[in-house]
């Protein structure tokens, strides 16, 4: 315990970095509590290291309490908004590069199917395609592959 109190600034900075690593790497920024605490510990340790705060346990506790509270009030809404942003763009997956030759005619009705990865997929196309046409998958919906001529 004496080692920790003699090196309080360094101990606080190490604990702050550990809390930040846990928040980002393990929890994936899902909770902000460790983020605020880690930043607070890091800031308090730095202030003590530069002799702007006294290196006592009481000062460390009060400083962390105040800095954590201030950080949570200031950063809560921006971080919450950042979490709620969604990317509306289409996700390209391995299906997007899939190409094959049609065994039957395909149109927008989706009456033709194609077996891929153990699933019977309905095939649809914006423009009618005849059997024997080489196609590639351009879009996928639940149980449906949209294809176009290659």
């Amino acid at each position: 315990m004496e080692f920790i109190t003699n090196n309080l600034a360094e101990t606080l900075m190490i604990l702050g970095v550990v809390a930040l690593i846990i928040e980002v790497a393990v929890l994936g920024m899902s909770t902000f509590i460790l983020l605020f605490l880690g930043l607070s510990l890091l800031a308090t340790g730095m202030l003590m290291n530069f002799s702007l705060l006294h290196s006592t346990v009481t000062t460390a506790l009060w400083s962390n309490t105040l800095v954590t509270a201030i950080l949570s009030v200031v950063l809560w809404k921006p971080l919450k908004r950042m979490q709620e942003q969604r990317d509306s763009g289409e996700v390209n997956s391995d299906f997007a590069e899939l190409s094959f030759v049609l065994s039957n005619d395909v149109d927008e009705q989706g009456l033709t199917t194609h077996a891929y990865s153990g699933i019977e997929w309905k095939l649809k196309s914006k423009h009618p395609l005849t059997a024997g046409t080489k196609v590639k998958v351009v879009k996928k919906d639940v149980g449906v592959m949209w294809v176009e001529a290659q």
Side-chain angles (χ1 to χ4, degrees):
M1 184 70 178
E2 186 177 326
F3 178 77
I4 292 174
T5 55
N6 289 339
N7 301 300
L8 188 59
E10 293 82 5
T11 304
L12 291 174
M13 288 189 286
I14 290 169
L15 289 173
V17 170
V18 169
L20 290 172
I21 289 171
I22 291 170
E23 175 67 34
V24 173
V26 176
L27 300 175
M29 295 284 289
S30 61
T31 67
F32 298 131
I33 295 163
L34 284 180
L35 176 71
F36 301 145
L37 180 64
L39 290 173
S40 170
L41 288 167
L42 202 58
T44 301
M46 286 183 161
L47 290 172
M48 285 182 175
N49 202 29
F50 294 123
S51 299
L52 297 172
L53 288 176
H54 295 289
S55 291
T56 64
V57 175
T58 305
T59 304
L61 289 173
W62 278 109
S63 174
N64 282 312
T65 302
L66 292 174
V67 174
T68 302
I70 291 168
L71 286 173
S72 64
V73 168
V74 171
L75 296 177
W76 185 266
K77 284 194 178 190
L79 289 172
K80 198 66 172 166
R81 263 186 265 123
M82 183 183 74
Q83 267 188 338
E84 292 171 355
Q85 289 178 350
R86 302 276 189 252
D87 186 16
S88 60
E90 289 232 1
V91 177
N92 286 333
S93 67
D94 295 337
F95 285 105
E97 301 301 320
L98 179 66
S99 61
F100 54 92
V101 177
L102 293 176
S103 57
N104 295 318
D105 295 343
V106 175
D107 56 14
E108 278 193 62
Q109 294 178 351
L111 301 176
T112 305
T113 60
H114 175 71
Y116 179 73
S117 188
I119 300 171
E120 287 290 323
W121 296 86
K122 289 184 181 181
L123 297 178
K124 291 185 178 184
S125 176
K126 292 182 181 180
H127 307 289
L129 300 170
T130 58
T133 305
K134 187 168 183 177
V135 296
K136 68 176 182 175
V137 177
V138 293
K139 182 180 170 188
K140 57 256 164 237
D141 292 327
V142 178
V144 178
M145 288 185 190
W146 287 85
V147 295
E148 66 181 25
Q150 203 172 20

